[in-house]
Amino acid sequence: MKLPSNGAAKSIRSYAGSLFVFLFIVGIIITLIQFPVLESNKEIVLMLIGSIAASIPILISTISGTIPDDVNILKSTLEKKEHQIQMLVAAKDRLEEMVIDLQKEMLKNQDAVMDKIILKAAIDFDNKHNPPKK
Protein backbone atom coordinates (compact mmCIF):
# COMPACT_ATOMS: atom_id res chain seq x y z
CA MET A 1 0.00 0.00 0.00
CA LYS A 2 1.44 3.33 -1.05
CA LEU A 3 0.76 6.23 1.29
CA PRO A 4 0.31 9.75 -0.07
CA SER A 5 3.41 11.91 0.34
CA ASN A 6 1.96 15.40 0.14
CA GLY A 7 2.15 17.90 3.02
CA ALA A 8 -1.33 17.15 4.40
CA ALA A 9 -0.74 13.41 4.58
CA LYS A 10 2.62 13.97 6.28
CA SER A 11 0.98 16.25 8.84
CA ILE A 12 -1.76 13.70 9.54
CA ARG A 13 0.79 10.91 10.02
CA SER A 14 2.86 13.15 12.30
CA TYR A 15 -0.22 14.09 14.32
CA ALA A 16 -1.39 10.48 14.61
CA GLY A 17 2.10 9.27 15.62
CA SER A 18 2.42 11.98 18.26
CA LEU A 19 -1.02 11.18 19.61
CA PHE A 20 -0.13 7.48 19.78
CA VAL A 21 3.09 8.20 21.69
CA PHE A 22 1.23 10.55 24.04
CA LEU A 23 -1.42 7.92 24.78
CA PHE A 24 1.35 5.34 25.29
CA ILE A 25 3.01 7.65 27.84
CA VAL A 26 -0.30 8.16 29.65
CA GLY A 27 -0.78 4.37 29.70
CA ILE A 28 2.67 3.85 31.22
CA ILE A 29 1.98 6.45 33.90
CA ILE A 30 -1.39 4.86 34.76
CA THR A 31 0.28 1.44 34.95
CA LEU A 32 2.98 2.80 37.27
CA ILE A 33 0.34 4.36 39.51
CA GLN A 34 -1.64 1.11 39.81
CA PHE A 35 1.31 -1.24 40.37
CA PRO A 36 4.10 -0.36 42.81
CA VAL A 37 7.68 -0.33 41.53
CA LEU A 38 10.25 -2.54 43.25
CA GLU A 39 13.27 -0.89 44.82
CA SER A 40 15.58 -2.75 42.43
CA ASN A 41 13.82 -1.32 39.36
CA LYS A 42 13.25 2.15 40.77
CA GLU A 43 16.24 3.78 39.01
CA ILE A 44 15.30 2.31 35.63
CA VAL A 45 11.71 3.49 35.99
CA LEU A 46 12.85 6.98 37.02
CA MET A 47 15.17 7.12 34.00
CA LEU A 48 12.30 6.09 31.71
CA ILE A 49 9.96 8.67 33.24
CA GLY A 50 12.66 11.35 32.85
CA SER A 51 13.21 10.56 29.19
CA ILE A 52 9.47 10.48 28.59
CA ALA A 53 9.08 13.83 30.36
CA ALA A 54 11.85 15.28 28.18
CA SER A 55 9.99 14.25 25.01
CA ILE A 56 6.64 15.77 26.07
CA PRO A 57 7.39 19.31 24.74
CA ILE A 58 8.30 17.87 21.35
CA LEU A 59 5.09 15.86 21.33
CA ILE A 60 3.01 18.87 22.28
CA SER A 61 4.59 20.99 19.56
CA THR A 62 4.01 18.25 17.00
CA ILE A 63 0.40 17.74 18.05
CA SER A 64 -0.29 21.46 17.95
CA GLY A 65 1.44 21.68 14.56
CA THR A 66 4.17 24.13 15.52
CA ILE A 67 7.63 22.68 15.15
CA PRO A 68 10.36 25.01 16.51
CA ASP A 69 12.61 24.41 13.50
CA ASP A 70 9.79 25.42 11.16
CA VAL A 71 9.27 28.64 13.10
CA ASN A 72 12.99 29.47 12.90
CA ILE A 73 13.07 28.67 9.20
CA LEU A 74 10.04 30.89 8.60
CA LYS A 75 11.61 33.71 10.62
CA SER A 76 14.83 33.56 8.59
CA THR A 77 12.85 33.43 5.35
CA LEU A 78 10.82 36.44 6.47
CA GLU A 79 13.99 38.38 7.30
CA LYS A 80 15.44 37.57 3.86
CA LYS A 81 12.23 38.72 2.16
CA GLU A 82 12.18 41.96 4.18
CA HIS A 83 15.82 42.60 3.19
CA GLN A 84 14.96 41.97 -0.47
CA ILE A 85 12.02 44.37 -0.21
CA GLN A 86 14.26 47.06 1.28
CA MET A 87 16.78 46.56 -1.51
CA LEU A 88 14.07 46.73 -4.18
CA VAL A 89 12.60 49.91 -2.68
CA ALA A 90 16.05 51.52 -2.63
CA ALA A 91 16.64 50.49 -6.27
CA LYS A 92 13.22 51.86 -7.24
CA ASP A 93 14.00 55.17 -5.54
CA ARG A 94 17.32 55.41 -7.41
CA LEU A 95 15.58 54.69 -10.73
CA GLU A 96 12.92 57.31 -10.03
CA GLU A 97 15.64 59.85 -9.26
CA MET A 98 17.42 58.95 -12.52
CA VAL A 99 14.19 59.39 -14.50
CA ILE A 100 13.55 62.79 -12.88
CA ASP A 101 17.13 63.90 -13.67
CA LEU A 102 16.76 62.68 -17.24
CA GLN A 103 13.49 64.59 -17.65
CA LYS A 104 15.13 67.79 -16.31
CA GLU A 105 18.06 67.37 -18.71
CA MET A 106 15.70 66.76 -21.62
CA LEU A 107 13.74 69.93 -20.81
CA LYS A 108 16.97 71.93 -20.56
CA ASN A 109 18.19 70.53 -23.91
CA GLN A 110 14.78 71.15 -25.47
CA ASP A 111 14.91 74.79 -24.37
CA ALA A 112 18.41 75.14 -25.84
CA VAL A 113 17.34 73.57 -29.15
CA MET A 114 14.20 75.73 -29.31
CA ASP A 115 16.31 78.84 -28.67
CA LYS A 116 18.66 77.86 -31.52
CA ILE A 117 15.74 77.16 -33.86
CA ILE A 118 14.11 80.50 -33.04
CA LEU A 119 17.42 82.33 -33.42
CA LYS A 120 18.07 80.63 -36.77
CA ALA A 121 14.56 81.51 -37.95
CA ALA A 122 15.03 85.13 -36.83
CA ILE A 123 18.40 85.39 -38.61
CA ASP A 124 16.94 83.87 -41.78
CA PHE A 125 13.98 86.26 -41.60
CA ASP A 126 16.29 89.23 -41.13
CA ASN A 127 18.54 88.12 -44.00
CA LYS A 128 15.54 87.60 -46.25
CA HIS A 129 13.94 90.98 -45.62
CA ASN A 130 17.12 92.99 -44.98
CA PRO A 131 19.92 91.42 -47.02
CA PRO A 132 23.38 92.29 -45.72
CA LYS A 133 25.04 95.25 -47.48
CA LYS A 134 28.41 94.93 -49.10
Side-chain angles (χ1 to χ4, degrees), residues 42-134:
K42 187 175 183 178
E43 290 180 17
I44 295 173
V45 171
L46 287 176
M47 185 183 68
L48 287 174
I49 290 174
S51 62
I52 289 170
S55 67
I56 287 178
I58 297 171
L59 292 172
I60 290 172
S61 67
T62 304
I63 289 172
S64 66
T66 57
I67 299 172
D69 292 339
D70 288 346
V71 172
N72 292 335
I73 290 170
L74 290 174
K75 282 182 182 179
S76 67
T77 303
L78 180 63
E79 289 174 1
K80 288 178 186 176
K81 297 292 182 189
E82 287 176 350
H83 181 66
Q84 286 177 343
I85 289 171
Q86 289 174 352
M87 289 176 46
L88 288 173
V89 167
K92 177 193 68 84
D93 290 342
R94 285 193 305 273
L95 287 174
E96 285 178 348
E97 186 177 336
M98 288 173 58
V99 167
I100 290 170
D101 290 343
L102 182 63
Q103 288 174 342
K104 286 178 184 176
E105 190 175 329
M106 287 173 61
L107 285 174
K108 193 168 41 171
N109 289 341
Q110 183 180 5
D111 286 344
V113 169
M114 289 299 290
D115 287 344
K116 288 178 184 178
I117 291 172
I118 291 171
L119 183 62
K120 173 77 169 118
I123 290 173
D124 288 344
F125 181 80
D126 286 344
N127 286 342
K128 187 176 182 182
H129 291 296
N130 297 328
K133 297 180 184 174
K134 294 187 180 184

Side-chain angles (χ1 to χ4, degrees), residues 8-47:
K10 183 178 178 183
S11 295
I12 290 171
R13 284 193 304 267
S14 172
Y15 180 77
S18 297
L19 194 60
F20 172 75
V21 171
F22 182 74
L23 292 174
F24 180 71
I25 291 170
V26 170
I28 289 174
I29 291 173
I30 290 173
T31 304
L32 290 174
I33 290 172
Q34 288 179 353
F35 302 105
V37 179
L38 299 174
E39 283 296 322
S40 61
N41 294 335
K42 187 175 183 178
E43 290 180 17
I44 295 173
V45 171
L46 287 176
M47 185 183 68

